[in-house]
Amino acid sequence: MGVTDEPIFSGETVAITVSNAPDFSTVARVSMSGDVPVPYLGIVHFAGLNSASASALIEKMLMDSNLVVHPHVLVTVDGASTGITVLGEVKSPGIYAPTGKHMLSDILAMAGGLATGAGRIIEISSDSAPDQKTLIPWDPTLHNTAVFDRVLQAGSRVVVKPCGVAYIGGNVLRPGAYPVCASQVTTASQLVALASGALITANRGHTMLIHTLPDGSRVVQQIDMGKILNAKAADPVIREDDIIYVPLSGAKYALVNMFGYVAQIGNTTLNVYAGR
């Protein structure tokens, strides 16, 4: 317990000591609405006050109620009684008992900052309403976080979501799953580039983009990667769990096989790739 110049927050424990009238002294936790029950005075709103202003408020209420003639009140705060839990993609997950202002960015810094696998969404909930979750967009590069920074109350639970991935397969050099958090927006051409480009046998004009919707359903869209790479068509944005499939061109495959056979001289074989 200690005297604080910072505002009192919901979830913190306060001790009200009336030195010349101990029957009015109490220790209580600040409710989620910012209130504290005080003996003989009822419910008193403490949230936003500091130790000095809360002490002055109780003194005035005791005098106005003619309960104590000259009360001497001291309000102290134990912010460590209810910490803030930080989980997920941070370097040091745990329960932290911050002093002073409880800003989200400060709590993340106390947890060692974001891990390399951090995504762009932070989930915030509280002890009193664990099922009510607030999703906060967060830029791991710290370019656009100020507008989303916010005060956290004691008892909050912060979960840094992992970076999502998108998938690319078919006729690309390196099919697989790739993270979509490296930049603010990931496009189809960027995902193809991450896969080291399309093979010469690819039918880029009939590339399939499969969007995964929040309910788990999927929408299939045909895109022309050739036009996109030549800036002749819009480059669609890729979201988490999307899939790009670059199909095989039968004609190109036949030509590659034919030229590969013709170019085979002795022990030398010509291997033809595109996008390298």
Side-chain angles (χ1 to χ4, degrees), residues 16-215:
I16 303 171
T17 303
V18 185
S19 57
N20 54 342
D23 288 345
F24 295 93
S25 299
T26 187
V27 176
R29 182 176 176 179
V30 183
S31 71
M32 293 307 297
S33 58
D35 301 324
V36 174
V38 181
Y40 305 103
L41 293 178
I43 301 300
V44 181
H45 191 72
F46 268 27
L49 305 178
N50 58 21
S51 291
S53 56
S55 300
L57 175 62
I58 297 299
E59 288 178 351
K60 184 178 184 304
M61 294 179 70
L62 289 172
M63 289 189 293
D64 290 347
S65 301
N66 296 317
L67 294 172
V68 181
V69 179
H70 297 294
H72 298 288
V73 179
L74 176 64
V75 175
T76 55
V77 181
D78 182 10
S81 59
T82 304
I84 295 176
T85 303
V86 185
L87 300 171
E89 297 299 320
V90 292
K91 294 179 181 177
S92 300
I95 300 175
Y96 294 88
T99 57
K101 186 180 291 186
H102 309 164
M103 298 299 293
L104 173 59
S105 57
D106 297 331
I107 298 301
L108 293 175
M110 294 178 69
L114 301 184
T116 54
R120 293 180 172 270
I121 297 294
I122 294 178
E123 178 187 285
I124 299 176
S125 58
S126 65
D127 287 343
S128 60
D131 294 332
Q132 297 179 8
K133 297 178 173 59
T134 302
L135 299 180
I136 309 297
W138 198 262
D139 183 1
T141 64
L142 301 180
H143 289 157
N144 298 294
T145 56
V147 291
F148 302 115
D149 206 1
R150 61 188 57 206
V151 175
L152 297 179
Q153 297 180 341
S156 294
R157 187 171 185 266
V158 177
V159 180
V160 179
K161 297 291 188 178
C163 181
V165 297
Y167 305 88
I168 183 167
N171 282 258
V172 292
L173 189 59
R174 299 182 185 277
Y178 293 90
V180 291
C181 298
S183 59
Q184 294 186 22
V185 175
T186 300
T187 64
S189 63
Q190 289 173 332
L191 187 58
V192 171
L194 288 172
S196 298
L199 298 176
I200 198 172
T201 54
N203 186 351
R204 296 188 296 180
H206 291 78
T207 299
M208 307 306 294
L209 172 57
I210 305 171
H211 284 300
T212 302
L213 303 180
D215 61 1

